[in-house]
Amino acid sequence: MTVSLFQGAFGVLFFWSILRFFVPSAEIPHPLLVGFNFLYTISVALYSNYKMVTGRWTATLWANRALLLSLPLPIFYGYFTFLSPDYLPVLIVFVVGVELPVLGLAKSRYLTLWYATYFSSFLLPSYVWRRWYLEEHSVFLTVFLTTCFFLHFWLIRASDSVKKMGAQLTRSLVQTKQNKRALKRLHTIQAIDSTLARRLQRDTLPDLRKFESGNLSLSARYVSLDTVGGDFYDVVDLGEGKTGLFIADVSGHGISAALVTMMTKAAFRNHYREQSDPSQLLKIVNRSLSGMLENQGMFVTAFYCIIHPKGELLFSSAGHPPALFLNKRENRIRELFTENTFFLGIEPTWSYKTDSIVMDRGDRLLIYTDGLVEAKNKIGQQYGEGRLSELLLKKANLSPEEFSEILMKDLGEFQAGRLSEDDIALVCCDFRG
């Protein structure tokens, strides 16, 4: 509106100057009247803009009051048209030019008042003092005024439509802001819940210091891809000097995998004291999970072993990557896996097998989830069982804790900044005899 008033003020002044200096025969308003119109228009524009910028007027109030304050302009335009009726099409442009910027803001009656003021200021004096002109140009004036009427009607309709769209947009923006605030609160709650879930999951991991006084030396690492993960390990005291090591990997990531992890651990914890055979325990855990996972498209891999005080190692696998057994005396590695292995949670009647070896003093057992060996570097190469076995042989003289630290450091150097695509869990156990 402000720009339109400025354009109108300078435009009328420019048009008046052309008629005065280049069309001497044209009848035009007195220079003092033109100057007054120019200054008044500029004053209204500056005053309205000041009220708008300082926040004293809203956009709607600014549009309506600016139209009312500038009502002398259509009177001047009408008087100009009365003096030079042949230039009616030019002057109507100035009238429409002021209306256009306030479409959707100004009320329809104020826009109509502007039109009515202009045509009244032109037609009434013409009817009284220049009726002959109206009679001579009756056809042109009828067609032109009818066109202007329909133009104004369409502008009013457009203004109402813009106003409705503006109201809808405002409601949408308000709703969007409310939704953003609600979403922000939800994200905050989820972040708190995820942090709590991560803390609870970490707190369920066993304290390995409890097992340091016996025949075993243990260390472990756990790295989750999300806030909570689908891998976990557990170390339990079975009494009579026996220790159980359990590791599991739930398919998928995130909260759903973490929930299945907790169910798997609960099933393991509820029955581990009852079973001295690892395969029987896996069978019980499998039956417990099958009822819950059969329709979820999820499964669990697991490895469970029992270490006796004299070094006998009983183990059973449920679709899990083979454990690595380092025979220190022979300086070689053996992969520990069992026949008839299958995932947990799919086939409730599956029977697992148990195998055994004997650990001597200084032998090492490493159990892990597939996220370790499937970690990739920047060119897509996997860390792999070969590199893991090579490191296990090379660092055989380190303690389990030192080896775990070296292993994670070597994995980080291999990935060279590439993020892991799966959770990682591992347990390193030395038999001290």
Side-chain angles (χ1 to χ4, degrees):
M1 182 68 178
T2 304
V3 175
S4 297
L5 289 175
F6 273 106
Q7 291 175 343
F10 284 98
V12 169
L13 180 62
F14 178 73
F15 181 60
W16 178 85
S17 301
I18 291 177
L19 294 182
R20 179 173 184 180
F21 296 107
F22 297 98
V23 188
S25 61
E27 188 176 358
I28 56 177
H30 193 277
L32 290 178
L33 186 58
V34 175
F36 173 78
N37 173 78
F38 177 80
L39 293 176
Y40 181 79
T41 304
I42 297 298
S43 300
V44 170
L46 293 176
Y47 176 75
S48 301
N49 191 59
Y50 168 76
K51 288 288 188 177
M52 177 72 172
V53 171
T54 56
R56 291 176 170 84
W57 287 357
T58 63
T60 302
L61 191 62
W62 163 79
N64 292 318
R65 290 191 176 178
L67 280 178
L68 290 176
L69 288 173
S70 59
L71 275 179
L73 272 64
I75 296 176
F76 174 77
Y77 297 155
Y79 175 65
F80 201 151
T81 308
F82 164 72
L83 295 178
S84 303
D86 292 338
Y87 299 103
L88 170 62
V90 177
L91 289 164
I92 196 68
V93 171
F94 295 112
V95 177
V96 176
V98 174
E99 286 187 308
L100 288 177
V102 294
L103 292 181
L105 294 174
K107 295 180 178 179
S108 300
R109 60 175 178 267
Y110 293 140
L111 294 172
T112 303
L113 180 60
W114 243 76
Y115 247 64
T117 301
Y118 168 71
F119 283 110
S120 298
S121 302
F122 160 55
L123 293 176
L124 289 179
S126 297
Y127 181 78
V128 174
W129 289 290
R130 294 186 177 183
R131 188 179 302 179
W132 57 269
Y133 181 87
L134 298 181
E135 293 173 351
E136 290 180 3
H137 299 84
S138 59
V139 176
F140 165 74
L141 290 175
T142 301
V143 173
F144 188 80
L145 293 179
T146 302
T147 303
C148 290
F149 169 77
F150 281 109
L151 175 63
H152 177 68
F153 175 75
W154 289 328
L155 288 176
I156 293 297
R157 293 289 302 272
S159 178
D160 292 340
S161 298
V162 172
K163 192 179 299 182
K164 290 179 181 179
M165 288 190 294
Q168 292 175 352
L169 180 60
T170 300
R171 287 194 295 270
S172 298
L173 290 174
V174 171
Q175 186 64 43
T176 300
K177 289 183 179 179
Q178 292 175 346
N179 291 340
K180 287 178 68 176
R181 287 195 292 267
L183 188 61
K184 185 177 181 179
R185 288 195 296 268
L186 179 60
H187 285 168
T188 301
I189 294 173
Q190 288 179 336
I192 294 174
D193 289 346
S194 297
T195 301
L196 179 59
R198 182 185 183 90
R199 187 179 302 149
L200 289 174
Q201 191 175 49
R202 290 282 184 178
D203 289 345
T204 61
L205 296 176
D207 184 1
L208 301 183
R209 292 173 298 181
K210 297 179 181 179
F211 303 90
E212 287 294 329
S213 58
N215 293 329
L216 304 179
S217 176
L218 297 164
S219 73
R221 292 293 185 274
Y222 175 68
V223 179
S224 60
L225 183 63
D226 298 315
T227 305
V228 289
D231 291 5
F232 82 97
Y233 63 88
D234 203 356
V235 181
V236 292
D237 184 0
L238 300 175
E240 299 178 352
K242 295 183 292 185
T243 303
L245 306 182
F246 185 79
I247 193 166
D249 182 0
V250 179
S251 61
H253 312 288
I255 294 177
S256 60
L259 291 174
V260 177
T261 295
M262 300 306 292
M263 291 189 295
T264 305
K265 183 164 186 174
F268 168 73
R269 282 278 179 168
N270 288 337
H271 300 285
Y272 77 89
R273 292 187 181 277
E274 306 168 3
Q275 299 296 330
S276 59
D277 185 344
S279 64
Q280 292 302 310
L281 181 61
L282 291 182
K283 184 176 182 179
I284 293 173
V285 174
N286 175 57
R287 190 164 55 244
S288 300
L289 294 177
S290 295
M292 295 179 284
L293 300 185
E294 59 182 353
N295 297 322
Q296 306 303 320
M298 302 179 71
F299 60 87
V300 181
T301 70
F303 182 92
Y304 178 50
C305 65
I306 298 175
I307 303 175
H308 289 251
K310 295 184 178 180
E312 183 183 12
L313 173 66
L314 304 178
F315 61 91
S316 184
S317 176
H320 201 78
L324 298 182
F325 174 70
L326 171 62
N327 187 312
K328 189 173 183 179
R329 180 172 56 84
E330 298 179 0
N331 195 33
R332 69 182 184 91
I333 291 177
R334 173 183 171 184
E335 291 185 341
L336 303 185
F337 58 89
T338 54
E339 298 179 354
N340 206 39
T341 183
F342 195 61
F343 307 134
L344 301 175
I346 296 181
E347 176 52 59
T349 61
W350 196 268
S351 295
Y352 298 90
K353 300 296 183 181
T354 296
D355 204 345
S356 65
I357 61 171
V358 176
M359 299 183 72
D360 292 328
R361 181 180 180 86
D363 288 348
R364 174 168 294 174
L365 176 68
L366 179 65
I367 58 177
Y368 58 90
T369 57
D370 58 9
L372 174 62
V373 293
E374 292 179 0
K376 297 178 181 178
N377 58 17
K378 290 187 175 181
I379 60 175
Q381 293 177 328
Q382 292 187 346
Y383 188 75
E385 292 87 350
R387 182 173 179 130
L388 178 60
S389 298
E390 181 181 347
L391 185 69
L392 188 60
L393 285 171
K394 185 177 179 181
K395 303 297 181 180
N397 293 325
L398 297 179
S399 68
E401 178 61 29
E402 291 171 336
F403 172 76
S404 298
E405 192 66 27
I406 290 294
L407 173 57
M408 298 308 295
K409 182 179 179 181
D410 185 65
L411 177 64
E413 293 175 352
F414 172 79
Q415 290 180 286
R418 177 166 177 168
L419 299 178
S420 298
E421 299 176 4
D422 198 0
D423 304 325
I424 297 174
L426 65 92
V427 178
C428 183
C429 173
D430 278 7
F431 183 73
R432 297 190 295 203

